[in-house]
Amino acid sequence: MLRKTGLFFTVMMLLFTVILIGTVVGAGIPSFKINLNASQVTIGDNVVVAIQGNNVTDLYGYEAVLTYNADLLEFNSTQSNGSFEGYKIAQDSGNQVTFACTKMGNKSGENGDLAIGTLTFKAKKNGQANITLKQMTTMTSQELASIWNVNAQAAVKIDGTIPGPGSGRGGGGGGSSTPPTKEDPNLYVAKESELRIETAQDGQTSVIAVIDSKRLAQKLTDLQATSGSNVLSFEIPGEHDLNALQLPLPTLFNSLKEHKDTILSVRSHLGTYDLPMSILNQADFAGKAGVEGATLIIRIDKAKSLHETKFDQSISDKGMVRVSDMIDYKVILKTKDKEEEIHSFGNSFVTRVILVDEMIQDPSAATAVVYDPATGEMKFVPSVFTVKGGKTEVKVIRNSNSMYAIVQNKKTFDDMIGHWAQQEVEQLASKMIINGTSDRTYTPEMQITRAQFAALLVRGLGLPEEAGLNVFTDVADTQWYAPEVNTAAKYGLVQGVAEGQFNPDAQITREQMVVMMMKAIGLVKGTSASGASVMNASFADQDLLSDYARNAVADAAGKGLIHGKTETTFAPQDVATRAEAAVIIKRVLQYANLIN
């Protein structure tokens, strides 16, 4: 059968309006939205409207009806295209555009979440221009049509001078409608020429902000000269699945000495990523400093739906619920011949923010988790929850990149009801930092070993496990705690009891636990172990403290992180219990601002 194309296709689709009327509601039913390439432009810039479809089935052709502010925008039909090869037609009736596109020949339709097309407008006057996708008519490969009332809206602010002679835009007449807007020294707004909007093979939309070297250098200079802040923010416009910021690496290195404390903050609709420029001192980055054309790419991407589905299936039987998108954060070093992803930042903890479209009132029963799609493994990640404007911002703090999501989980134990450590134990269990001795019991008075406490510290800090280090001769690779103990040793949280010996199965004393605790705080805060400290708390048995533990105990007591076992004694040589360990871990994480 011959396919209907051109005006005939449009007419045929419009004939169906009497018969088929769709409403965009419900799971699994197609929905449509629009994204803009920028939230703010100047006169003469292009405004690109990307039409996105979700849950689309067998899309062979479509017709989109959009309204716009004709006094502020001018439609450009030649730069408007569908996302698949075929025949297109565009009709502009003043403030309304009808854009139709269809495949040709015996081809199958498109399915899933996909980019449908892009329409281009030119900004011609100052003001806020509103664009609305009023209606979508879709046709399947079997010529079945459906009409969807959408009313998806987007807006762009046009704020800039009218180009004059010699401006490079071919304008004439000189003058300006409004004075130039003074730039925010803390905000880098990418120009249209710096943005690359594409459609990936799987239908996901992608935007890359390719930052200009000269503009970046000037912005860093202005930041130091005029701003009291050390944060330079980059806005990635629109609501795209894949969001990237590409920075010229040599420019960053040239500014590093003066900007070692500067933070590059990337903001997208999915959340933010704060990368300290001091990270560039690490060997992975420094080795590329002089490579011509080398770039630093920061990505904030929505995970593919198959990863989210697999993740949701894995947590459903555990009683957990995912309440956010799954976000994949990446930092990539790119040269002419290869791309190298940087997974670890050593001792530097990097902050990200994931946005949740609901209020999470009880942060003790929710957490960020890191997810490995290859193994299906999920682990706790340090995270702080803040409710703002009916939504929740989750600050995720970790020294490595990966795929993250926010889950809700509530864990209780029968033998912790009324216990003095109930709140701490159940909060850490809900966050998957500690486990019970069974599904319903925690056994709080059981004594804890050195290896077990080291493992708790590593989990609580969200450190990526290091396998195969073999730091201690008495920590065999076959032991469950080997990756955690080796990781703790790598980051300086533990040390041996003798040369090459850790004594992992020995019960840990209270003073040993405090020493590890203070090293963990020093790692996160970026400070070394304190020197000689004065004991603010007066313990009658402080002479029983070992020399190696004296400063750590004094420092912890001075910060209010530890208390005596009784009103007058600390009992440094007593063996610690599982309840005491949970309390110590929670105090470490709260003091280091890693949990609420």
Side-chain angles (χ1 to χ4, degrees), residues 508-518 535-546 548-558 560-577 580 583-584 587:
I508 194 169
T509 64
R510 285 166 54 83
E511 68 175 9
Q512 289 173 346
M513 190 165 60
V514 172
V515 170
M516 293 186 193
M517 161 193 197
M518 297 312 294
M535 185 81 73
N536 288 344
S538 179
F539 296 127
D541 59 350
Q542 61 189 33
D543 290 342
L544 298 178
L545 284 165
S546 301
Y548 73 85
R550 197 171 295 277
N551 288 340
V553 172
D555 197 13
L561 295 171
I562 60 171
H563 306 288
K565 195 167 187 178
T566 69
E567 290 185 1
T568 58
T569 62
F570 178 65
Q573 305 304 326
D574 282 10
V575 175
T577 66
E580 290 172 330
V583 171
I584 287 293
R587 288 176 183 169

Side-chain angles (χ1 to χ4, degrees), residues 42-44 122 160-178 180:
T42 57
I43 293 174
K122 182 178 179 180
T161 58
I162 300 174
S167 67
R169 285 189 178 167
S176 64
S177 57
T178 59

